[in-house]
Amino acid sequence: MDAIVNGFNQIVGWMPALLQSTWVTLLLSVLSVLAGLIFSVFLALGKISKNKVISGISSAYIFFFRGTPLLMQLFFIYYTLPQLVPALNISDRFTAAWLAFTLNVAAYLAEIIRAAIQSIDKGQMEASRALGLTYRQAMRLVIIPQSIKRMVPPICNEFVMVLKDTSLVSIIALTDLTYQTKIIASNKSSALVYVPAMIIYLIMTGVFTYFFNKLEKKLSVYE
Amino acid sequence: MSVIKTENICKNFGSLQVLKNVSLTVEQGEVVVIIGPSGAGKSTYLRSLNRLEKLQNGKIYVNDELMEDRINGKNHSPITKKRREELLLDMGMVFQRFNLFPHKTALENVMLAPMHVKGMKEAEAKAKATELLERVGLGDKLDSYPAKLSGGQQQRVAIARALAMDPKVMLFDEPTSALDPELVGDVLKVMKDLAASGMTMIIVTHEIGFAREVADKIVFMYDGAILEEGTAEQVFNNPKNERTKQFLDSVL
Ligand SMILES: Nc1ncnc2c1ncn2[C@@H]1O[C@H](COP(=O)(O)OP(=O)(O)O)[C@@H](O)[C@H]1O
Ligand SMILES: [Mg+2]
């Protein structure tokens, strides 16, 4: 009994530090997905573009960032890039992590968006063109609005993945939830701290999943 | 004056020759019905007219202006891109599968192109769309989404949507083939009214009774070529070509 009370008190004592680092994890995830989302729209449209150069560059980008480990990309941006191009020395760990995650998640989101756009029946583009809309107008007014509904579930899914993947940043000593947990574990030599840390991750993914499910239900009104 | 004239148009899909020197003239106010077995190239012909398919060879005149003059896929037509866009707007198209925009109401479907292509003000576009939807018998469905409409109603919205751009010619690709039999009549009625109002129309259909009633000219296509053309009386009652006879026997 004493051991349990003791452990509980320990956990309460760690909470301020854990919650502070949770904020870093959350901020990094949200900012990466937001920035990645904007970037990914261009990548997706680029990949399906009829212009061979644009589609080639977009495809190569997506291939690269999906085909190499995220951890390597993080190292590359934090360690290698400053060596190659001194002007690109990102000393702030958060910014480096944000950049790495944005570039990476954009590639995944681009594939989601491309797949959603290409899942729209070809007849929609044909009807638009037959009515005199330009390709851009057809995309903006007809194709993309319809595809959004189909991209929301996988994008939400991707967000939850990113939220968990951000634990990788502990490797460049950015004080996210995982890194903070490791510090506590080694300083206080108590591995118990992994329990509340995992529960915090679980609460975050649980809350987001709950709201994303509600959003999906709302979007499936007509069809 | 001809609204549409094609001269020797040819289209391949890879090594498959789908249109082989198809020449056809459609006069102002004329209703032309194209019949023929599946795979004859009827859809491809219609789609070539408004550039949903790119031709290999041949000429397309719209209102006597040379819009397409293709030799080995390259267009030698003298008109500017802008002029070509304008000529293309003279053609309205109705598809077998309707292709309505599912995220927009009936009214919004009809308003979209006038507003974004012609820059029409919203109020004007709305008034025009309302009038057109009333004309096709859907005055009470203005705010319905396509998913809430029957196939026949969807196809009538699609006709209104095409008419909203004030085309000079309407292209119909099997407009009733995807409909339940009891819904075909409403759509054909709208098309008959349109024909009676003087609209130039090119219609691909298997509805022989309807063709007999509205067509000024029947065209029989087979294997990428026009084998026979004439009035309904000539083609249906006295087909000259053996293939035409066989086809008519199979559908009548
Ligand atoms: N996009 C395409 N790619 C390859 N072949 C096609 C394509 N569209 C049509 N075809 C072929 O062209 C021929 C004519 O098709 P189509 O014009 O649809 O005939 P119809 O409308 O008279 O039934 C068919 O053999 C069809 O398989
Ligand atoms: Mg067809």
Side-chain angles (χ1 to χ4, degrees), chain A residues 121 123-124 126-133 137 140-142 145-146 222-223, chain B residues 47 50 52 89 91 93 95 99-104 112-113 116-117 161 165:
Chain A
D121 182 42
Q124 293 289 305
E126 292 184 349
S128 308
R129 300 290 283 142
L131 284 166
L133 298 176
Q137 283 177 319
R140 184 165 57 83
L141 300 166
V142 177
Q146 288 180 60
Y222 58 93
E223 220 174 26
Chain B
R47 293 161 56 81
N50 70 353
L52 289 178
L89 289 186
M91 292 180 240
M93 185 150 191
F95 301 86
N99 296 347
L100 288 183
F101 305 136
H103 60 307
K104 302 213 171 275
L112 186 81
H116 289 95
V117 178
R161 180 175 70 174
M165 292 300 284

Side-chain angles (χ1 to χ4, degrees), chain A residues 40-61:
Chain A
S40 67
V41 174
F42 292 97
L43 283 174
L45 291 175
K47 188 165 174 181
I48 59 178
S49 160
K50 289 210 185 75
N51 183 318
K52 291 253 161 56
V53 177
I54 293 176
S55 89
I57 293 173
S58 308
S59 302
Y61 178 95

Side-chain angles (χ1 to χ4, degrees), chain A residues 122, chain B residues 13-14 16-19 36-45 47 53 173-174 204 206 221:
Chain A
K122 271 194 357 231
Chain B
F13 287 113
L16 181 69
Q17 264 195 297
V18 176
L19 296 178
S38 170
K42 307 180 298 294
S43 298
T44 306
Y45 179 74
R47 293 161 56 81
E53 303 289 354
D173 190 3
E174 300 199 31
V204 174
H206 295 298
M221 261 183 97

Side-chain angles (χ1 to χ4, degrees), chain B residues 58-100:
Chain B
K59 295 179 179 169
I60 300 176
Y61 296 85
V62 179
N63 301 322
D64 293 329
E65 265 184 82
L66 184 56
M67 182 182 80
E68 295 274 296
D69 180 9
R70 299 234 171 215
I71 302 171
N72 292 324
K74 198 174 174 316
N75 197 358
H76 296 270
S77 142
I79 62 169
T80 62
K81 186 161 179 270
K82 184 164 173 294
R83 182 67 192 140
R84 188 175 67 219
E85 297 292 331
E86 287 166 7
L87 291 176
L88 284 170
L89 289 186
D90 286 341
M91 292 180 240
M93 185 150 191
V94 174
F95 301 86
Q96 183 174 349
R97 306 266 347 151
F98 330 134
N99 296 347
L100 288 183

